[in-house]
């Protein structure tokens, strides 16, 4: 028996998210169509010029902006950054190093440190549970 697999498609917003690009900056034909899994794979494997340009220069979606600045998306919002930024704008924020960015980066560092501590604690607990009990 052959299994028939229909082509999976996704909305442009989903495809843009998976590609790490800001949907309003993509070409109209991308925004207005649907994207199949095969098309998404092809875009990832062989990005066209417009996709390379967007990934390099932006405007970038908030998750990418947050990552490039080393803060959370909520930290961006607290810092007043609600719009997509270009690579040049991100570099300008980095070079200005406003107080909110310093504070949010410190917050991110604490969050990462706590996550690492919890991961170590859980690993230690798991290791203890695997040890045979002594009678």
């Amino acid at each position: 028996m052959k299994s028939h697999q229909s082509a999976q498609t996704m909305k442009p917003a989903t495809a843009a998210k998976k590609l790490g690009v800001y949907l309003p900056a993509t070409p109209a034909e991308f925004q207005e169509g649907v994207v199949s899994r095969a098309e998404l794979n092809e875009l990832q494997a062989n990005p066209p010029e417009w996709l390379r340009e967007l990934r390099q220069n932006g405007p970038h979606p908030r998750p990418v902006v947050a990552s490039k600045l080393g803060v959370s998306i909520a930290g961006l919002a607290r810092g007043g950054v609600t719009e997509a930024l270009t690579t040049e704008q991100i570099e300008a924020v980095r070079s200005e190093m406003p107080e909110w960015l310093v504070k949010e980066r410190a917050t991110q560092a604490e969050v990462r440190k706590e996550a690492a501590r919890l991961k170590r604690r859980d690993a230690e607990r798991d290791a203890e549970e695997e040890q045979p009990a002594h009678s």
Side-chain angles (χ1 to χ4, degrees):
M1 247 187 158
K2 258 189 182 176
S3 66
H4 180 267
Q5 188 176 6
S6 62
Q8 283 185 314
T9 60
M10 61 194 82
K11 294 177 182 173
T14 303
K17 188 180 234 180
K18 290 180 180 288
L19 293 169
V21 295
Y22 185 56
L23 180 61
T26 62
E29 59 270 14
F30 181 85
Q31 293 180 42
E32 295 162 2
V34 293
V35 180
S36 71
R37 173 69 56 194
E39 288 169 329
L40 179 71
N41 291 342
E42 179 61 24
L43 286 169
Q44 289 172 324
N46 300 302
E49 182 58 35
W50 66 264
L51 182 53
R52 287 194 302 272
E53 177 70 22
L54 275 179
R55 284 178 166 168
Q56 185 173 350
N57 300 315
H60 302 287
R62 286 180 304 152
V64 174
V65 174
S67 174
K68 287 179 178 277
L69 290 174
V71 299
S72 67
I73 295 172
L76 275 184
R78 286 190 292 269
V81 178
T82 56
E83 301 297 316
L85 298 180
T86 64
T87 300
E88 192 176 310
Q89 290 169 315
I90 293 168
E91 291 303 322
V93 171
R94 271 195 196 141
S95 66
E96 291 166 10
M97 198 52 102
E99 189 177 321
W100 71 264
L101 182 57
V102 173
K103 183 178 177 212
E104 291 300 334
R105 279 183 166 180
T107 299
Q108 260 317 82
E110 286 301 315
V111 167
R112 281 193 214 97
K113 194 163 39 170
E114 178 65 4
R117 184 190 69 79
L118 292 174
K119 188 174 182 179
R120 280 193 309 275
R121 181 201 67 190
D122 292 347
E124 289 168 3
R125 282 184 184 168
D126 290 346
E128 287 172 9
E129 289 173 7
E130 290 174 10
Q131 295 292 327
H134 294 287
S135 339

